[in-house]
Short mmCIF file of all heavy atoms in Angstrom, two decimals:
data_model
loop_
_atom_site.label_atom_id
_atom_site.label_comp_id
_atom_site.label_asym_id
_atom_site.label_seq_id
_atom_site.Cartn_x
_atom_site.Cartn_y
_atom_site.Cartn_z
N MET X 643 -11.06 10.82 -0.30
CA MET X 643 -11.09 10.77 1.16
C MET X 643 -11.33 9.33 1.61
O MET X 643 -12.20 8.65 1.06
CB MET X 643 -12.19 11.70 1.68
CG MET X 643 -12.18 11.81 3.20
SD MET X 643 -13.46 12.90 3.75
CE MET X 643 -12.92 14.47 3.05
N GLN X 644 -10.59 8.91 2.58
CA GLN X 644 -10.76 7.54 3.03
C GLN X 644 -11.20 7.55 4.49
O GLN X 644 -10.82 8.40 5.26
CB GLN X 644 -9.44 6.76 2.93
CG GLN X 644 -9.09 6.40 1.51
CD GLN X 644 -7.77 5.63 1.44
OE1 GLN X 644 -6.80 6.08 1.98
NE2 GLN X 644 -7.80 4.50 0.80
N ARG X 645 -12.01 6.59 4.82
CA ARG X 645 -12.49 6.47 6.19
C ARG X 645 -12.25 5.06 6.67
O ARG X 645 -12.57 4.10 5.99
CB ARG X 645 -13.99 6.78 6.24
CG ARG X 645 -14.41 7.39 7.54
CD ARG X 645 -15.89 7.63 7.51
NE ARG X 645 -16.61 6.47 7.98
CZ ARG X 645 -17.91 6.26 7.85
NH1 ARG X 645 -18.62 7.15 7.22
NH2 ARG X 645 -18.49 5.22 8.32
N PHE X 646 -11.66 4.96 7.81
CA PHE X 646 -11.40 3.64 8.35
C PHE X 646 -12.23 3.43 9.61
O PHE X 646 -12.25 4.27 10.50
CB PHE X 646 -9.90 3.49 8.71
CG PHE X 646 -9.01 3.58 7.50
CD1 PHE X 646 -8.37 4.77 7.18
CD2 PHE X 646 -8.84 2.48 6.68
CE1 PHE X 646 -7.58 4.86 6.06
CE2 PHE X 646 -8.05 2.55 5.54
CZ PHE X 646 -7.39 3.74 5.25
N GLU X 647 -12.88 2.34 9.64
CA GLU X 647 -13.67 1.98 10.84
C GLU X 647 -13.01 0.81 11.54
O GLU X 647 -12.49 -0.09 10.92
CB GLU X 647 -15.07 1.60 10.43
CG GLU X 647 -15.80 2.76 9.74
CD GLU X 647 -17.13 2.28 9.22
OE1 GLU X 647 -17.80 1.52 9.92
OE2 GLU X 647 -17.50 2.69 8.11
N SER X 648 -13.04 0.85 12.84
CA SER X 648 -12.46 -0.24 13.59
C SER X 648 -13.23 -1.52 13.31
O SER X 648 -14.44 -1.53 13.22
CB SER X 648 -12.44 0.06 15.08
OG SER X 648 -13.78 0.21 15.53
N GLY X 649 -12.49 -2.58 13.21
CA GLY X 649 -13.14 -3.88 13.03
C GLY X 649 -13.38 -4.22 11.58
O GLY X 649 -13.83 -5.31 11.27
N SER X 650 -13.10 -3.29 10.68
CA SER X 650 -13.27 -3.64 9.28
C SER X 650 -12.04 -3.19 8.48
O SER X 650 -11.38 -2.24 8.84
CB SER X 650 -14.53 -2.98 8.70
OG SER X 650 -14.33 -1.60 8.62
N THR X 651 -11.79 -3.87 7.46
CA THR X 651 -10.65 -3.55 6.61
C THR X 651 -11.17 -3.22 5.21
O THR X 651 -11.95 -3.95 4.64
CB THR X 651 -9.67 -4.75 6.51
OG1 THR X 651 -9.31 -5.14 7.83
CG2 THR X 651 -8.43 -4.34 5.75
N ILE X 652 -10.73 -2.09 4.73
CA ILE X 652 -11.14 -1.69 3.38
C ILE X 652 -10.12 -2.21 2.39
O ILE X 652 -8.94 -1.89 2.48
CB ILE X 652 -11.26 -0.16 3.27
CG1 ILE X 652 -12.33 0.34 4.23
CG2 ILE X 652 -11.58 0.25 1.82
CD1 ILE X 652 -12.36 1.85 4.35
N VAL X 653 -10.57 -3.04 1.52
CA VAL X 653 -9.66 -3.65 0.55
C VAL X 653 -10.16 -3.33 -0.84
O VAL X 653 -11.32 -3.55 -1.17
CB VAL X 653 -9.61 -5.19 0.72
CG1 VAL X 653 -8.68 -5.79 -0.35
CG2 VAL X 653 -9.11 -5.54 2.11
N ARG X 654 -9.27 -2.75 -1.61
CA ARG X 654 -9.58 -2.57 -3.02
C ARG X 654 -9.11 -3.81 -3.74
O ARG X 654 -7.93 -4.11 -3.79
CB ARG X 654 -8.86 -1.33 -3.58
CG ARG X 654 -9.51 -0.03 -3.16
CD ARG X 654 -8.70 1.12 -3.69
NE ARG X 654 -7.31 1.02 -3.22
CZ ARG X 654 -6.26 1.58 -3.80
NH1 ARG X 654 -6.43 2.25 -4.92
NH2 ARG X 654 -5.06 1.45 -3.34
N VAL X 655 -10.04 -4.52 -4.28
CA VAL X 655 -9.66 -5.77 -4.94
C VAL X 655 -9.13 -5.54 -6.34
O VAL X 655 -8.23 -6.21 -6.80
CB VAL X 655 -10.89 -6.72 -4.99
CG1 VAL X 655 -10.50 -8.03 -5.69
CG2 VAL X 655 -11.37 -7.01 -3.58
N ARG X 656 -9.65 -4.54 -6.98
CA ARG X 656 -9.26 -4.26 -8.34
C ARG X 656 -8.61 -2.88 -8.44
O ARG X 656 -9.03 -1.96 -7.80
CB ARG X 656 -10.47 -4.31 -9.28
CG ARG X 656 -10.99 -5.70 -9.49
CD ARG X 656 -10.13 -6.43 -10.50
NE ARG X 656 -10.60 -7.78 -10.68
CZ ARG X 656 -9.95 -8.69 -11.46
NH1 ARG X 656 -8.87 -8.33 -12.06
NH2 ARG X 656 -10.42 -9.90 -11.60
N GLU X 657 -7.58 -2.84 -9.29
CA GLU X 657 -6.97 -1.55 -9.55
C GLU X 657 -6.68 -1.48 -11.05
O GLU X 657 -6.41 -2.49 -11.68
CB GLU X 657 -5.67 -1.40 -8.76
CG GLU X 657 -5.00 -0.08 -8.96
CD GLU X 657 -3.99 0.23 -7.88
OE1 GLU X 657 -4.31 0.01 -6.71
OE2 GLU X 657 -2.90 0.68 -8.20
N TYR X 658 -6.77 -0.28 -11.56
CA TYR X 658 -6.54 -0.08 -12.98
C TYR X 658 -5.28 0.76 -13.20
O TYR X 658 -5.16 1.84 -12.64
CB TYR X 658 -7.73 0.56 -13.65
CG TYR X 658 -8.95 -0.33 -13.63
CD1 TYR X 658 -9.85 -0.27 -12.57
CD2 TYR X 658 -9.16 -1.25 -14.64
CE1 TYR X 658 -10.94 -1.11 -12.53
CE2 TYR X 658 -10.26 -2.08 -14.62
CZ TYR X 658 -11.16 -2.02 -13.57
OH TYR X 658 -12.22 -2.86 -13.51
N ILE X 659 -4.39 0.25 -13.95
CA ILE X 659 -3.13 0.96 -14.22
C ILE X 659 -3.16 1.46 -15.65
O ILE X 659 -3.42 0.73 -16.58
CB ILE X 659 -1.93 0.00 -14.06
CG1 ILE X 659 -1.89 -0.56 -12.62
CG2 ILE X 659 -0.63 0.72 -14.38
CD1 ILE X 659 -0.79 -1.56 -12.41
N PRO X 660 -2.89 2.77 -15.79
CA PRO X 660 -2.84 3.29 -17.18
C PRO X 660 -1.60 2.83 -17.91
O PRO X 660 -0.50 2.88 -17.38
CB PRO X 660 -2.81 4.82 -16.97
CG PRO X 660 -2.24 5.01 -15.59
CD PRO X 660 -2.66 3.81 -14.81
N VAL X 661 -1.78 2.32 -19.12
CA VAL X 661 -0.67 1.82 -19.90
C VAL X 661 -0.79 2.31 -21.34
O VAL X 661 -1.86 2.78 -21.75
CB VAL X 661 -0.65 0.26 -19.93
CG1 VAL X 661 -0.34 -0.29 -18.53
CG2 VAL X 661 -1.97 -0.30 -20.45
N THR X 662 0.29 2.21 -22.05
CA THR X 662 0.31 2.58 -23.49
C THR X 662 0.69 1.34 -24.28
O THR X 662 1.69 0.69 -23.96
CB THR X 662 1.28 3.72 -23.74
OG1 THR X 662 0.97 4.85 -22.95
CG2 THR X 662 1.27 4.14 -25.23
N CYS X 663 -0.08 1.03 -25.27
CA CYS X 663 0.20 -0.12 -26.10
C CYS X 663 1.52 0.02 -26.83
O CYS X 663 1.77 1.04 -27.49
CB CYS X 663 -0.93 -0.33 -27.12
SG CYS X 663 -0.64 -1.70 -28.25
N PRO X 664 2.43 -0.98 -26.72
CA PRO X 664 3.72 -0.90 -27.41
C PRO X 664 3.62 -1.10 -28.91
O PRO X 664 4.57 -0.85 -29.66
CB PRO X 664 4.55 -2.01 -26.77
CG PRO X 664 3.53 -3.01 -26.29
CD PRO X 664 2.30 -2.21 -25.92
N TYR X 665 2.46 -1.51 -29.38
CA TYR X 665 2.26 -1.73 -30.82
C TYR X 665 1.65 -0.52 -31.50
O TYR X 665 2.18 0.03 -32.46
CB TYR X 665 1.37 -2.94 -31.04
CG TYR X 665 1.93 -4.27 -30.59
CD1 TYR X 665 1.62 -4.77 -29.34
CD2 TYR X 665 2.78 -4.99 -31.41
CE1 TYR X 665 2.12 -5.98 -28.92
CE2 TYR X 665 3.30 -6.21 -31.01
CZ TYR X 665 2.97 -6.71 -29.75
OH TYR X 665 3.45 -7.91 -29.33
N CYS X 666 0.51 -0.11 -30.98
CA CYS X 666 -0.25 0.96 -31.69
C CYS X 666 -0.21 2.30 -30.95
O CYS X 666 -0.65 3.30 -31.49
CB CYS X 666 -1.70 0.52 -31.91
SG CYS X 666 -2.69 0.37 -30.39
N GLY X 667 0.29 2.32 -29.71
CA GLY X 667 0.41 3.57 -29.00
C GLY X 667 -0.84 4.06 -28.33
O GLY X 667 -0.85 5.13 -27.72
N GLU X 668 -1.91 3.29 -28.42
CA GLU X 668 -3.16 3.71 -27.76
C GLU X 668 -3.03 3.53 -26.25
O GLU X 668 -2.39 2.59 -25.77
CB GLU X 668 -4.33 2.84 -28.28
CG GLU X 668 -4.79 3.22 -29.67
CD GLU X 668 -5.47 4.57 -29.69
OE1 GLU X 668 -6.13 4.93 -28.69
OE2 GLU X 668 -5.32 5.29 -30.70
N GLU X 669 -3.66 4.44 -25.53
CA GLU X 669 -3.65 4.32 -24.08
C GLU X 669 -4.83 3.49 -23.61
O GLU X 669 -5.91 3.54 -24.18
CB GLU X 669 -3.70 5.72 -23.46
CG GLU X 669 -2.44 6.51 -23.77
CD GLU X 669 -2.49 7.89 -23.16
OE1 GLU X 669 -3.48 8.21 -22.47
OE2 GLU X 669 -1.54 8.67 -23.41
N GLY X 670 -4.57 2.76 -22.56
CA GLY X 670 -5.64 1.92 -22.02
C GLY X 670 -5.38 1.68 -20.56
O GLY X 670 -4.48 2.26 -19.93
N ASP X 671 -6.18 0.81 -19.96
CA ASP X 671 -6.04 0.46 -18.57
C ASP X 671 -5.77 -1.00 -18.42
O ASP X 671 -6.37 -1.83 -19.11
CB ASP X 671 -7.32 0.81 -17.79
CG ASP X 671 -7.51 2.30 -17.71
OD1 ASP X 671 -6.55 3.01 -17.43
OD2 ASP X 671 -8.66 2.75 -17.92
N LEU X 672 -4.91 -1.31 -17.49
CA LEU X 672 -4.63 -2.70 -17.18
C LEU X 672 -5.40 -3.06 -15.92
O LEU X 672 -5.38 -2.34 -14.92
CB LEU X 672 -3.11 -2.84 -16.92
CG LEU X 672 -2.47 -4.17 -17.31
CD1 LEU X 672 -2.75 -4.51 -18.74
CD2 LEU X 672 -0.96 -4.04 -17.08
N ASP X 673 -6.04 -4.17 -16.00
CA ASP X 673 -6.89 -4.62 -14.89
C ASP X 673 -6.05 -5.52 -13.98
O ASP X 673 -5.62 -6.59 -14.37
CB ASP X 673 -8.04 -5.42 -15.49
CG ASP X 673 -9.11 -5.78 -14.49
OD1 ASP X 673 -9.03 -5.30 -13.37
OD2 ASP X 673 -10.01 -6.54 -14.84
N VAL X 674 -5.78 -5.04 -12.77
CA VAL X 674 -4.88 -5.79 -11.86
C VAL X 674 -5.70 -6.49 -10.78
O VAL X 674 -6.56 -5.88 -10.15
CB VAL X 674 -3.90 -4.81 -11.18
CG1 VAL X 674 -3.02 -5.56 -10.21
CG2 VAL X 674 -3.06 -4.11 -12.24
N ASP X 675 -5.40 -7.73 -10.60
CA ASP X 675 -6.00 -8.47 -9.50
C ASP X 675 -5.10 -8.31 -8.28
O ASP X 675 -4.05 -8.92 -8.17
CB ASP X 675 -6.11 -9.95 -9.89
CG ASP X 675 -6.73 -10.77 -8.78
OD1 ASP X 675 -7.08 -10.20 -7.72
OD2 ASP X 675 -6.90 -11.98 -8.97
N GLU X 676 -5.52 -7.45 -7.36
CA GLU X 676 -4.67 -7.13 -6.21
C GLU X 676 -4.57 -8.29 -5.23
O GLU X 676 -3.72 -8.26 -4.35
CB GLU X 676 -5.24 -5.91 -5.47
CG GLU X 676 -5.06 -4.65 -6.26
CD GLU X 676 -4.88 -3.46 -5.33
OE1 GLU X 676 -4.63 -3.65 -4.14
OE2 GLU X 676 -5.03 -2.36 -5.81
N THR X 677 -5.39 -9.27 -5.37
CA THR X 677 -5.31 -10.40 -4.47
C THR X 677 -4.27 -11.41 -4.93
O THR X 677 -3.98 -12.40 -4.28
CB THR X 677 -6.67 -11.10 -4.30
OG1 THR X 677 -7.07 -11.60 -5.56
CG2 THR X 677 -7.71 -10.15 -3.78
N GLY X 678 -3.72 -11.16 -6.14
CA GLY X 678 -2.74 -12.08 -6.70
C GLY X 678 -1.36 -11.83 -6.15
O GLY X 678 -1.15 -11.07 -5.21
N ALA X 679 -0.39 -12.48 -6.76
CA ALA X 679 1.00 -12.35 -6.33
C ALA X 679 1.52 -10.95 -6.59
O ALA X 679 0.99 -10.23 -7.43
CB ALA X 679 1.86 -13.36 -7.07
N SER X 680 2.58 -10.57 -5.86
CA SER X 680 3.13 -9.23 -6.03
C SER X 680 3.95 -9.12 -7.29
O SER X 680 4.41 -8.05 -7.65
CB SER X 680 3.96 -8.83 -4.79
OG SER X 680 5.05 -9.74 -4.66
N ARG X 681 4.16 -10.20 -7.95
CA ARG X 681 4.85 -10.20 -9.23
C ARG X 681 4.10 -11.14 -10.17
O ARG X 681 3.95 -12.32 -9.88
CB ARG X 681 6.29 -10.65 -9.06
CG ARG X 681 7.12 -10.49 -10.32
CD ARG X 681 8.54 -10.98 -10.09
NE ARG X 681 9.37 -10.69 -11.24
CZ ARG X 681 10.01 -9.56 -11.41
NH1 ARG X 681 9.97 -8.63 -10.49
NH2 ARG X 681 10.74 -9.35 -12.49
N GLN X 682 3.57 -10.58 -11.23
CA GLN X 682 2.78 -11.35 -12.15
C GLN X 682 3.22 -11.07 -13.58
O GLN X 682 3.58 -9.95 -13.89
CB GLN X 682 1.28 -10.97 -12.03
CG GLN X 682 0.72 -11.10 -10.63
CD GLN X 682 -0.68 -10.56 -10.52
OE1 GLN X 682 -1.45 -10.63 -11.45
NE2 GLN X 682 -1.03 -9.99 -9.37
N SER X 683 3.19 -12.07 -14.40
CA SER X 683 3.43 -11.86 -15.81
C SER X 683 2.48 -12.74 -16.60
O SER X 683 2.18 -13.87 -16.24
CB SER X 683 4.90 -12.17 -16.17
OG SER X 683 5.19 -13.52 -15.88
N TYR X 684 1.94 -12.15 -17.64
CA TYR X 684 0.98 -12.85 -18.45
C TYR X 684 0.84 -12.16 -19.79
O TYR X 684 1.45 -11.11 -20.01
CB TYR X 684 -0.40 -12.90 -17.74
CG TYR X 684 -0.94 -11.57 -17.32
CD1 TYR X 684 -1.76 -10.82 -18.18
CD2 TYR X 684 -0.66 -11.06 -16.05
CE1 TYR X 684 -2.24 -9.59 -17.80
CE2 TYR X 684 -1.14 -9.84 -15.68
CZ TYR X 684 -1.94 -9.10 -16.53
OH TYR X 684 -2.40 -7.87 -16.16
N VAL X 685 0.10 -12.76 -20.67
CA VAL X 685 -0.11 -12.18 -22.01
C VAL X 685 -1.55 -11.72 -22.09
O VAL X 685 -2.46 -12.42 -21.69
CB VAL X 685 0.18 -13.22 -23.10
CG1 VAL X 685 -0.11 -12.64 -24.50
CG2 VAL X 685 1.64 -13.67 -23.04
N GLN X 686 -1.73 -10.49 -22.57
CA GLN X 686 -3.05 -9.93 -22.75
C GLN X 686 -3.12 -9.21 -24.06
O GLN X 686 -2.20 -8.51 -24.45
CB GLN X 686 -3.38 -8.97 -21.59
CG GLN X 686 -4.72 -8.32 -21.69
CD GLN X 686 -5.02 -7.45 -20.50
OE1 GLN X 686 -4.78 -7.80 -19.36
NE2 GLN X 686 -5.54 -6.23 -20.75
N ASP X 687 -4.20 -9.44 -24.81
CA ASP X 687 -4.33 -8.80 -26.12
C ASP X 687 -4.72 -7.33 -25.93
O ASP X 687 -5.55 -6.98 -25.11
CB ASP X 687 -5.40 -9.48 -26.95
CG ASP X 687 -4.95 -10.88 -27.37
OD1 ASP X 687 -3.75 -11.16 -27.29
OD2 ASP X 687 -5.83 -11.67 -27.76
N CYS X 688 -4.12 -6.48 -26.77
CA CYS X 688 -4.52 -5.07 -26.82
C CYS X 688 -5.97 -4.98 -27.26
O CYS X 688 -6.35 -5.60 -28.27
CB CYS X 688 -3.63 -4.29 -27.78
SG CYS X 688 -4.14 -2.57 -28.01
N PRO X 689 -6.81 -4.23 -26.54
CA PRO X 689 -8.22 -4.12 -26.96
C PRO X 689 -8.41 -3.32 -28.23
O PRO X 689 -9.46 -3.37 -28.85
CB PRO X 689 -8.87 -3.41 -25.75
CG PRO X 689 -7.78 -2.71 -25.06
CD PRO X 689 -6.52 -3.53 -25.29
N VAL X 690 -7.37 -2.58 -28.63
CA VAL X 690 -7.49 -1.76 -29.84
C VAL X 690 -6.96 -2.50 -31.06
O VAL X 690 -7.65 -2.65 -32.05
CB VAL X 690 -6.74 -0.43 -29.64
CG1 VAL X 690 -6.81 0.42 -30.90
CG2 VAL X 690 -7.32 0.34 -28.46
N CYS X 691 -5.70 -2.98 -30.98
CA CYS X 691 -5.09 -3.58 -32.20
C CYS X 691 -4.99 -5.10 -32.07
O CYS X 691 -4.53 -5.76 -33.02
CB CYS X 691 -3.73 -2.96 -32.46
SG CYS X 691 -2.47 -3.32 -31.20
N CYS X 692 -5.38 -5.66 -30.94
CA CYS X 692 -5.45 -7.09 -30.73
C CYS X 692 -4.07 -7.80 -30.75
O CYS X 692 -3.98 -9.01 -30.86
CB CYS X 692 -6.35 -7.78 -31.75
SG CYS X 692 -8.06 -7.24 -31.61
N GLN X 693 -2.98 -7.02 -30.63
CA GLN X 693 -1.67 -7.61 -30.55
C GLN X 693 -1.43 -8.09 -29.12
O GLN X 693 -1.93 -7.48 -28.17
CB GLN X 693 -0.57 -6.62 -30.91
CG GLN X 693 -0.68 -6.12 -32.35
CD GLN X 693 -0.13 -7.11 -33.35
OE1 GLN X 693 0.56 -8.07 -32.99
NE2 GLN X 693 -0.44 -6.89 -34.61
N PRO X 694 -0.65 -9.15 -28.93
CA PRO X 694 -0.43 -9.67 -27.58
C PRO X 694 0.59 -8.86 -26.80
O PRO X 694 1.74 -8.76 -27.20
CB PRO X 694 0.06 -11.10 -27.85
CG PRO X 694 0.72 -11.04 -29.17
CD PRO X 694 -0.02 -9.98 -29.97
N TRP X 695 0.16 -8.34 -25.69
CA TRP X 695 1.07 -7.66 -24.78
C TRP X 695 1.75 -8.70 -23.87
O TRP X 695 1.06 -9.54 -23.34
CB TRP X 695 0.34 -6.69 -23.85
CG TRP X 695 -0.31 -5.54 -24.49
CD1 TRP X 695 -0.08 -5.04 -25.74
CD2 TRP X 695 -1.33 -4.69 -23.90
NE1 TRP X 695 -0.89 -3.95 -25.96
CE2 TRP X 695 -1.66 -3.71 -24.84
CE3 TRP X 695 -1.97 -4.68 -22.67
CZ2 TRP X 695 -2.61 -2.72 -24.61
CZ3 TRP X 695 -2.92 -3.70 -22.42
CH2 TRP X 695 -3.24 -2.74 -23.36
N GLN X 696 3.03 -8.60 -23.68
CA GLN X 696 3.72 -9.36 -22.67
C GLN X 696 3.73 -8.47 -21.41
O GLN X 696 4.47 -7.52 -21.32
CB GLN X 696 5.17 -9.66 -23.07
CG GLN X 696 5.30 -10.23 -24.48
CD GLN X 696 4.96 -11.70 -24.55
OE1 GLN X 696 5.27 -12.47 -23.67
NE2 GLN X 696 4.30 -12.09 -25.63
N VAL X 697 2.84 -8.78 -20.50
CA VAL X 697 2.64 -7.91 -19.33
C VAL X 697 3.43 -8.42 -18.14
O VAL X 697 3.41 -9.59 -17.83
CB VAL X 697 1.15 -7.86 -18.96
CG1 VAL X 697 0.93 -6.94 -17.76
CG2 VAL X 697 0.30 -7.43 -20.13
N GLU X 698 4.16 -7.48 -17.53
CA GLU X 698 4.85 -7.81 -16.28
C GLU X 698 4.40 -6.82 -15.22
O GLU X 698 4.57 -5.61 -15.39
CB GLU X 698 6.36 -7.77 -16.44
CG GLU X 698 7.06 -8.28 -15.22
CD GLU X 698 8.55 -8.45 -15.43
OE1 GLU X 698 8.95 -9.14 -16.39
OE2 GLU X 698 9.34 -7.87 -14.67
N LEU X 699 3.85 -7.32 -14.15
CA LEU X 699 3.36 -6.48 -13.08
C LEU X 699 4.18 -6.72 -11.82
O LEU X 699 4.42 -7.87 -11.44
CB LEU X 699 1.90 -6.84 -12.75
CG LEU X 699 0.82 -6.31 -13.65
CD1 LEU X 699 -0.49 -6.88 -13.20
CD2 LEU X 699 0.77 -4.79 -13.56
N THR X 700 4.59 -5.65 -11.17
CA THR X 700 5.27 -5.79 -9.89
C THR X 700 4.65 -4.81 -8.91
O THR X 700 4.24 -3.72 -9.26
CB THR X 700 6.78 -5.50 -10.01
OG1 THR X 700 6.98 -4.21 -10.56
CG2 THR X 700 7.46 -6.55 -10.89
N ARG X 701 4.59 -5.23 -7.68
CA ARG X 701 4.06 -4.38 -6.61
C ARG X 701 5.22 -4.08 -5.65
O ARG X 701 5.88 -4.97 -5.15
CB ARG X 701 2.95 -5.12 -5.87
CG ARG X 701 2.30 -4.27 -4.78
CD ARG X 701 1.05 -4.90 -4.26
NE ARG X 701 1.26 -6.28 -3.87
CZ ARG X 701 0.27 -7.14 -3.57
NH1 ARG X 701 -0.97 -6.75 -3.66
NH2 ARG X 701 0.52 -8.37 -3.24
N ASP X 702 5.39 -2.78 -5.40
CA ASP X 702 6.50 -2.41 -4.50
C ASP X 702 6.04 -2.43 -3.06
O ASP X 702 4.91 -2.76 -2.74
CB ASP X 702 7.09 -1.04 -4.91
CG ASP X 702 6.11 0.09 -4.73
OD1 ASP X 702 5.16 -0.04 -3.95
OD2 ASP X 702 6.31 1.11 -5.39
N ARG X 703 6.95 -2.03 -2.15
CA ARG X 703 6.67 -2.14 -0.72
C ARG X 703 5.51 -1.24 -0.29
O ARG X 703 4.86 -1.49 0.73
CB ARG X 703 7.91 -1.76 0.09
CG ARG X 703 9.02 -2.81 0.05
CD ARG X 703 10.20 -2.31 0.82
NE ARG X 703 10.63 -0.99 0.34
CZ ARG X 703 11.51 -0.23 0.99
NH1 ARG X 703 12.00 -0.59 2.10
NH2 ARG X 703 11.85 0.96 0.46
N ASP X 704 5.26 -0.19 -1.02
CA ASP X 704 4.16 0.70 -0.69
C ASP X 704 2.82 0.24 -1.26
O ASP X 704 1.81 0.91 -1.09
CB ASP X 704 4.45 2.12 -1.21
CG ASP X 704 5.71 2.67 -0.60
OD1 ASP X 704 5.97 2.42 0.59
OD2 ASP X 704 6.46 3.36 -1.33
N GLY X 705 2.84 -0.90 -1.94
CA GLY X 705 1.62 -1.41 -2.50
C GLY X 705 1.27 -0.80 -3.85
O GLY X 705 0.18 -0.97 -4.37
N GLU X 706 2.23 -0.05 -4.41
CA GLU X 706 2.00 0.56 -5.72
C GLU X 706 2.35 -0.43 -6.82
O GLU X 706 3.41 -1.09 -6.77
CB GLU X 706 2.88 1.82 -5.87
CG GLU X 706 2.50 2.95 -4.98
CD GLU X 706 1.17 3.57 -5.39
OE1 GLU X 706 0.92 3.72 -6.59
OE2 GLU X 706 0.40 3.89 -4.48
N TRP X 707 1.49 -0.55 -7.80
CA TRP X 707 1.72 -1.45 -8.91
C TRP X 707 2.45 -0.73 -10.04
O TRP X 707 2.19 0.41 -10.35
CB TRP X 707 0.40 -1.99 -9.46
CG TRP X 707 -0.26 -2.98 -8.55
CD1 TRP X 707 -1.19 -2.70 -7.61
CD2 TRP X 707 0.00 -4.38 -8.48
NE1 TRP X 707 -1.52 -3.89 -6.96
CE2 TRP X 707 -0.81 -4.91 -7.50
CE3 TRP X 707 0.87 -5.25 -9.20
CZ2 TRP X 707 -0.82 -6.28 -7.19
CZ3 TRP X 707 0.86 -6.57 -8.90
CH2 TRP X 707 0.04 -7.09 -7.89
N ASN X 708 3.42 -1.46 -10.62
CA ASN X 708 4.10 -0.97 -11.80
C ASN X 708 3.92 -1.97 -12.93
O ASN X 708 4.08 -3.17 -12.70
CB ASN X 708 5.59 -0.76 -11.51
CG ASN X 708 5.82 0.32 -10.47
OD1 ASN X 708 5.60 1.48 -10.73
ND2 ASN X 708 6.25 -0.09 -9.29
N ALA X 709 3.60 -1.49 -14.07
CA ALA X 709 3.34 -2.36 -15.21
C ALA X 709 4.36 -2.11 -16.31
O ALA X 709 4.69 -0.95 -16.61
CB ALA X 709 1.94 -2.17 -15.75
N THR X 710 4.86 -3.19 -16.88
CA THR X 710 5.72 -3.07 -18.05
C THR X 710 5.11 -3.86 -19.18
O THR X 710 4.73 -5.01 -19.00
CB THR X 710 7.14 -3.61 -17.74
OG1 THR X 710 7.67 -2.96 -16.61
CG2 THR X 710 8.06 -3.42 -18.92
N LEU X 711 4.95 -3.23 -20.31
CA LEU X 711 4.43 -3.91 -21.49
C LEU X 711 5.53 -4.08 -22.52
O LEU X 711 6.27 -3.16 -22.81
CB LEU X 711 3.27 -3.11 -22.14
CG LEU X 711 2.02 -2.87 -21.31
CD1 LEU X 711 0.93 -2.35 -22.24
CD2 LEU X 711 1.55 -4.13 -20.62
N ARG X 712 5.62 -5.31 -23.04
CA ARG X 712 6.58 -5.52 -24.11
C ARG X 712 5.86 -6.16 -25.28
O ARG X 712 4.86 -6.84 -25.14
CB ARG X 712 7.67 -6.48 -23.62
CG ARG X 712 8.56 -5.90 -22.53
CD ARG X 712 9.77 -6.77 -22.33
NE ARG X 712 10.57 -6.32 -21.18
CZ ARG X 712 10.35 -6.70 -19.94
NH1 ARG X 712 9.37 -7.51 -19.69
NH2 ARG X 712 11.09 -6.25 -18.95
N THR X 713 6.49 -6.00 -26.45
CA THR X 713 5.98 -6.76 -27.60
C THR X 713 6.54 -8.15 -27.53
O THR X 713 7.46 -8.44 -26.78
CB THR X 713 6.47 -6.09 -28.91
OG1 THR X 713 7.89 -6.15 -28.98
CG2 THR X 713 6.04 -4.62 -28.94
N GLY X 714 6.00 -9.06 -28.28
CA GLY X 714 6.46 -10.41 -28.26
C GLY X 714 7.65 -10.66 -29.16
O GLY X 714 8.15 -11.77 -29.24
N ASP X 715 8.17 -9.64 -29.85
CA ASP X 715 9.23 -9.89 -30.81
C ASP X 715 10.64 -9.72 -30.24
O ASP X 715 11.58 -9.89 -30.96
CB ASP X 715 9.15 -8.90 -32.02
CG ASP X 715 7.75 -8.43 -32.28
OD1 ASP X 715 6.90 -9.30 -32.40
OD2 ASP X 715 7.51 -7.22 -32.33
N GLU X 716 10.73 -9.33 -29.00
CA GLU X 716 12.07 -9.08 -28.44
C GLU X 716 12.83 -10.39 -28.22
O GLU X 716 12.25 -11.38 -27.87
CB GLU X 716 11.98 -8.32 -27.12
CG GLU X 716 11.60 -6.86 -27.33
CD GLU X 716 11.55 -6.13 -26.00
OE1 GLU X 716 10.48 -6.12 -25.40
OE2 GLU X 716 12.57 -5.59 -25.58
ZN1 ZN U 982 -2.56 -1.78 -29.50
#
């Protein structure tokens, strides 16, 4: 349930996106900085197998984040 009060804006700064590791298949969460650009790409190590994820994040018009994980071997 959300409540909006006049004069204030509720901003979620952090959002977590469920992802599956392309290397080991473990599920995890991606930590998204919502104050960043609507399109971001970076490398983040899998917390389980420590392999580098090639992360691509895009935010659509509704503010929904989509994450794509790739291995570095492509
Ligand atoms: Zn992994």
Side-chain angles (χ1 to χ4, degrees):
M643 186 179 295
Q644 287 180 308
R645 211 181 88 193
F646 296 99
E647 299 175 39
S648 62
S650 70
T651 306
I652 299 171
V653 178
R654 284 176 304 157
V655 179
R656 289 281 178 184
E657 182 161 315
Y658 294 90
I659 300 176
V661 294
T662 302
C663 176
Y665 295 96
C666 67
E668 284 291 326
E669 294 179 4
D671 291 316
L672 212 54
D673 188 8
V674 178
D675 180 0
E676 289 210 16
T677 62
S680 60
R681 187 181 186 88
Q682 304 173 33
S683 60
Y684 54 90
V685 177
Q686 178 176 316
D687 291 343
C688 174
V690 178
C691 67
C692 297
Q693 297 282 347
W695 295 343
Q696 311 282 321
V697 180
E698 187 171 306
L699 280 175
T700 56
R701 182 168 52 190
D702 66 23
R703 287 177 306 167
D704 300 323
E706 292 290 321
W707 288 94
N708 294 292
T710 304
L711 297 192
R712 294 192 186 87
T713 64
D715 332 307
E716 286 181 272

